[in-house]
Amino acid sequence: NAGVTQTPKFRVLKTGQSMTLLCAQDMNHEYMYWYRQDPGMGLRLIHYSVGEGTTAKGEVPDGYNVSRLKKQNFLLGLESAAPSQTSVYFCASSHRDRGLMGSNQPQHFGDGTRLSIL
Amino acid sequence: SQQGEEDPQALSIQEGENATMNCSYKTSINNLQWYRQNSGRGLVHLILIRSNEREKHSGRLRVTLDTSKKSSSLLITASRAADTASYFCATAIIVDYKLSFGAGTTVTVRA
């Protein structure tokens, strides 16, 4: 059981380049999330999805786009990379609580993508 | 903005000692969750405590929640070297799909 798998694990980009980070989960989770983690700032939510074909903005969405065409995959795109987007990116997923709306279940995380933009 | 804030930022203890860290938050919550992150790895869920609960245990972990003070604590008893990690609290507000994470407490357990 792989859980949440992120690819690639490391990447170096030049300013202005584009790339897509892939997240795949095999737990049949309804919710998926993209976070970035910077030193001393904890995790900040970029975008999230509560189901196939739906996405929503998080706390820091600017400069990023996402897509969830299949339930098990959540893609994070950087259209024109900037040095400020140098960070560690984490994907997470969770079940939907049947009785309540909202984040009532534990989130399962991948091991991250370390992205450097020069 | 971060909803939860952990205290202290860093903690160094001897193996076998207990470690306590605290989390304060600003708005009413539906639940509060604690996560552990080992160096270079993703976060691992430890405990979820709902707003109507006051205390939960899981192995050597004990979590308390005081909604009147908007605070929570995580106690690790009889610490081991393997407990060396960063610990994060995360809050979920009612009818919201997101978790808000604090900046974390870095715990170092010395052998």
Side-chain angles (χ1 to χ4, degrees):
Chain A
N1 190 351
V4 177
T5 303
Q6 293 184 233
T7 54
K9 297 188 185 308
F10 304 93
R11 187 72 184 269
V12 179
L13 290 179
K14 294 181 179 179
T15 297
Q17 287 185 319
S18 63
M19 79 161 295
T20 300
L21 281 66
L22 172 63
C23 176
Q25 53 95 3
D26 61 4
M27 296 170 283
N28 202 34
H29 285 169
E30 293 81 7
Y31 300 163
M32 296 188 76
Y33 308 83
W34 275 108
Y35 296 91
R36 60 178 289 173
Q37 185 176 34
D38 301 293
M41 298 193 71
L43 274 75
R44 291 184 291 170
L45 183 65
I46 305 172
H47 286 280
Y48 64 100
S49 168
V50 298
E52 183 177 324
T54 69
T55 63
K57 294 180 179 180
E59 183 183 356
V60 288
D62 294 342
Y64 305 95
N65 57 75
V66 288
S67 65
R68 190 153 178 217
L69 300 179
K70 294 182 179 181
K71 185 177 183 179
Q72 63 269 30
N73 296 336
F74 196 27
L75 278 62
L76 177 70
L78 284 73
E79 292 184 345
S80 179
S84 61
Q85 294 178 305
T86 293
S87 188
V88 182
Y89 291 86
F90 288 98
C91 175
S93 67
S94 68
H95 273 304
R96 179 183 63 210
D97 191 316
R98 291 182 182 180
L100 298 168
M101 293 173 63
S103 186
N104 303 299
Q105 298 293 324
Q107 292 188 10
H108 299 254
F109 284 79
D111 278 336
T113 294
R114 283 143 188 82
L115 183 60
S116 293
I117 299 164
L118 307 177
Chain B
S1 61
Q2 292 172 340
Q3 158 80 315
E5 294 189 2
E6 292 91 342
D7 174 65
Q9 290 185 338
L11 184 60
S12 180
I13 56 174
Q14 201 75 30
E15 203 165 25
E17 293 180 338
N18 296 342
T20 300
M21 60 211 84
N22 303 296
C23 172
S24 60
Y25 57 91
K26 299 173 184 174
T27 61
S28 295
I29 60 171
N30 180 37
N31 67 77
L32 185 145
Q33 305 179 29
W34 285 93
Y35 289 80
R36 182 188 75 234
Q37 184 180 33
N38 292 96
S39 181
R41 303 298 301 273
L43 278 71
V44 174
H45 180 262
L46 297 176
I47 291 183
L48 184 154
I49 185 165
R50 303 190 189 279
S51 59
N52 61 353
E53 298 175 314
R54 292 296 167 259
E55 188 171 313
K56 284 190 90 168
H57 296 256
S58 177
R60 295 183 294 110
L61 305 180
R62 172 177 169 255
V63 168
T64 62
L65 179 64
D66 187 335
T67 53
S68 66
K69 295 181 178 178
K70 293 186 170 58
S71 67
S72 174
S73 68
L74 170 65
L75 168 67
I76 305 172
T77 60
S79 62
R80 306 166 181 170
D83 295 327
T84 293
S86 292
Y87 293 82
F88 296 87
C89 70
T91 54
I93 63 176
I94 296 171
V95 196
D96 193 347
Y97 300 100
K98 307 183 293 290
L99 286 180
S100 294
F101 285 84
T105 294
T106 300
V107 175
T108 302
V109 181
R110 307 185 306 274

